[in-house]
């Protein structure tokens, strides 16, 4: 295995760990070690570094796709890293291993709003983002390669916001931000087209 691939994967894992540690719904620490904005800034910096490391081995579009896919995989599994420290004896006899703070009794998760809102808004976001990548980064790429790459790139761009919205306590701020980004992308595509 190429050392750049290994180092890029480690940096991506570190970025995901930092992001999860700063999330308001994280379950590892009783008190968050980082504020959300600080964790987000550090994680984004590490993700850019990981993309640069991967691009020394892959092409830039492949490096971006690798980082996004790795983040999706890691964000789905990282919350469970500390849950299996000891082997489970029986699933039926054990209660939940999740710890809940005092806000649990008054907290309303808004699962339906988060799921439906993020699904509906993140699909156009994925389409417009892949369109922008096509216009700005893949203009000299052969059509058959570009179309395949963009087709597969839509899935991570669609599912990443859909999974990230569940880290937020309130659904409205991320949905509004995603909607604004989607509208800006649409406007840029209309000006460029």
């Amino acid at each position: 295995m190429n050392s750049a691939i290994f180092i890029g994967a480690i940096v991506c894992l570190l970025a995901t760990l930092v992001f999860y540690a700063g999330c308001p719904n994280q379950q590892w620490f009783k008190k968050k070690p980082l504020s959300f904005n600080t964790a987000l800034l550090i994680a984004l910096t590490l993700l850019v570094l990981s993309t640069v490391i991967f691009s020394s081995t892959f092409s830039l579009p492949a490096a971006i796709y690798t980082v996004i896919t790795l983040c999706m995989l890691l964000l789905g599994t990282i919350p469970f890293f500390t849950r299996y420290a000891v082997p489970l004896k029986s699933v039926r006899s054990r209660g939940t291993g999740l710890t809940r703070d005092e806000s649990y009794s008054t907290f309303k998760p808004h699962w339906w709003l988060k799921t439906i809102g993020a699904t509906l808004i993140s699909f156009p976001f994925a389409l417009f983002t892949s369109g922008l990548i096509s216009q700005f980064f893949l203009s000299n790429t052969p059509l058959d390669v570009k179309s395949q790459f963009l087709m597969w790139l839509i899935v991570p761009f669609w599912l990443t916001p859909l999974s990230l919205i569940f880290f937020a306590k309130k659904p409205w701020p991320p949905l509004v931000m995603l909607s604004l980004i989607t509208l800006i992308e649409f406007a840029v595509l209309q000006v460029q087209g």
Side-chain angles (χ1 to χ4, degrees):
M1 183 162 147
N2 190 344
S3 62
I5 296 172
F6 180 73
I7 293 170
I10 295 296
V11 172
C12 191
L13 172 66
L14 184 61
T16 312
L17 290 172
V18 168
F19 176 76
Y20 182 72
C23 285
N25 293 338
Q26 61 89 18
Q27 299 280 323
W28 288 356
F29 308 104
K30 293 199 183 281
K31 186 178 177 193
K32 289 189 308 182
L34 296 168
S35 72
F36 179 73
N37 291 335
T38 305
L40 181 63
L41 183 64
I42 294 170
L44 288 175
T45 304
L46 289 172
L47 289 177
V48 168
L49 177 63
S50 177
T51 304
V52 169
I53 293 170
F54 278 130
S55 67
S56 69
T57 304
F58 309 134
S59 65
L60 182 61
I64 293 170
Y65 183 79
T66 303
V67 167
I68 291 171
T69 306
L70 224 100
C71 284
M72 284 179 22
L73 174 68
L74 292 171
L75 281 173
T77 56
I78 280 180
F80 300 106
F81 279 4
T82 59
R83 295 292 163 218
Y84 301 112
V86 237
L88 296 175
K89 295 187 177 154
S90 171
V91 175
R92 293 176 190 237
S93 66
R94 285 182 60 108
T96 179
L98 297 174
T99 56
R100 296 184 172 111
D101 62 0
E102 63 277 352
S103 67
Y104 178 73
S105 59
T106 60
F107 176 68
K108 295 184 178 165
H110 307 289
W111 299 115
W112 287 104
L113 179 62
K114 287 179 180 180
T115 304
I116 293 170
T119 302
L120 294 177
I121 296 171
S122 62
F123 184 68
F125 166 77
L127 291 175
F128 298 151
T129 304
S130 64
L132 288 173
I133 289 172
S134 171
Q135 281 192 345
F136 291 112
F137 298 109
L138 302 175
S139 58
N140 296 331
T141 308
L143 183 61
D144 57 341
V145 174
K146 183 179 2 180
S147 62
Q148 282 294 312
F149 177 72
L150 293 174
M151 177 186 71
W152 288 106
L153 194 62
I154 288 174
V155 174
F157 280 129
W158 188 12
L159 296 181
T160 300
L162 180 60
S163 59
L164 289 178
I165 195 155
F166 293 103
F167 285 105
K169 285 190 176 183
K170 296 180 181 177
W172 291 113
L175 287 175
V176 168
M177 182 180 289
L178 186 62
S179 299
L180 288 174
I181 292 170
T182 304
L183 288 173
I184 290 169
E185 287 180 337
F186 178 73
V188 170
L189 282 171
Q190 293 303 312
V191 169
Q192 291 293 322

